[in-house]
Amino acid sequence: MGSVWRDARSIADLGQAMALWMEGRGPDWPGYYGPFGQEEESGARHLIPVLAAANRAGFVTTGSQPAHDTTSGGVRWRQRAHVDGIVHDRSPLLGRLTALERQGFLVVRGWPMRYTAVTDRDGEPVTGFGGFRLGRNQTAREWHGIGRHALREVKDRAVRLNIVDPVWGRDDRLWPALTNAIC
């Protein structure tokens, strides 16, 4: 783990570090194992410029996936385009991101008790978010290895957002909308 994470003092610093990591120009994010977008099955390489720009703008992304709808070996796999992360509660970007709801996206602020699937296999949920209580020290675990000032800001000032295109397999709407929101 490089000093860019330990030296982070704010959510904005974390966004800069996350962008560098995604682009392969910085040390691994302590909350993730391996380089971003390198997993062959993720199909996420085309998202790197959008996600890096979002991080630099102050939306520190912690998860994302492109959409797809394919059948392989008689099994149908569907994904919704999805991105989640944190943004400072006083950032004007928060309002622009939550306004994506007016464009038909599902925007969930905080951690919901209702589960929302973002990947399914033959109609059965495989991955999603919500539906359970986060652990008391979830933030500290997720951000283990960052500077203490940044960790305090994440705990005290960060708003968690999940942004989902509700249409399975549609990958051409969320990413341009996110780009427009961060500009």
Side-chain angles (χ1 to χ4, degrees):
M1 178 172 16
S3 65
V4 67
W5 297 103
R6 280 190 312 271
D7 293 346
R9 299 185 59 80
S10 65
I11 293 171
D13 291 346
L14 294 175
Q16 298 302 316
M18 191 71 81
L20 289 172
W21 169 66
M22 288 180 170
E23 295 167 336
R25 300 185 304 127
D28 288 349
W29 169 34
Y32 192 86
Y33 300 101
F36 177 80
Q38 304 304 313
E39 310 87 12
E40 197 168 304
E41 75 278 5
S42 75
R45 290 176 194 238
H46 72 285
L47 303 181
I48 292 173
V50 174
L51 295 171
N55 278 281
R56 286 191 175 95
F59 181 36
V60 183
T61 61
T62 54
S64 61
Q65 69 180 27
H68 74 259
D69 188 345
T70 59
T71 302
S72 176
V75 176
R76 184 176 186 191
W77 286 92
R78 299 185 310 166
Q79 286 190 174
R80 293 178 170 135
H82 169 250
V83 62
D84 64 72
I86 59 171
V87 64
H88 195 286
D89 67 352
R90 292 189 182 160
S91 171
L93 181 58
L94 177 58
R96 295 194 308 270
L97 291 170
T98 56
L100 291 173
E101 196 165 47
R102 291 193 298 266
Q103 295 179 39
F105 297 102
L106 173 63
V107 179
V108 179
R109 186 176 171 149
W111 190 257
M113 290 309 295
R114 188 176 137 248
Y115 181 80
T116 300
V118 294
T119 304
D120 76 17
R121 178 183 189 266
D122 282 340
E124 294 296 320
V126 176
T127 61
F129 62 91
F132 61 90
R133 267 197 194 283
L134 289 176
R136 216 180 77 157
N137 296 316
Q138 176 68 27
T139 301
R141 281 190 299 277
E142 186 176 30
W143 292 101
H144 176 76
I146 67 170
R148 65 183 173 88
H149 295 289
L151 183 59
R152 179 170 308 281
E153 191 168 279
V154 168
K155 286 180 175 181
D156 295 344
R157 308 303 319 196
V159 175
R160 182 183 295 262
L161 290 179
N162 281 275
I163 306 169
V164 182
D165 186 334
V167 178
W168 294 99
R170 182 170 64 185
D171 202 39
D172 62 346
R173 286 200 61 240
L174 178 58
W175 313 114
L178 180 60
T179 299
N180 288 336
I182 62 175
C183 294

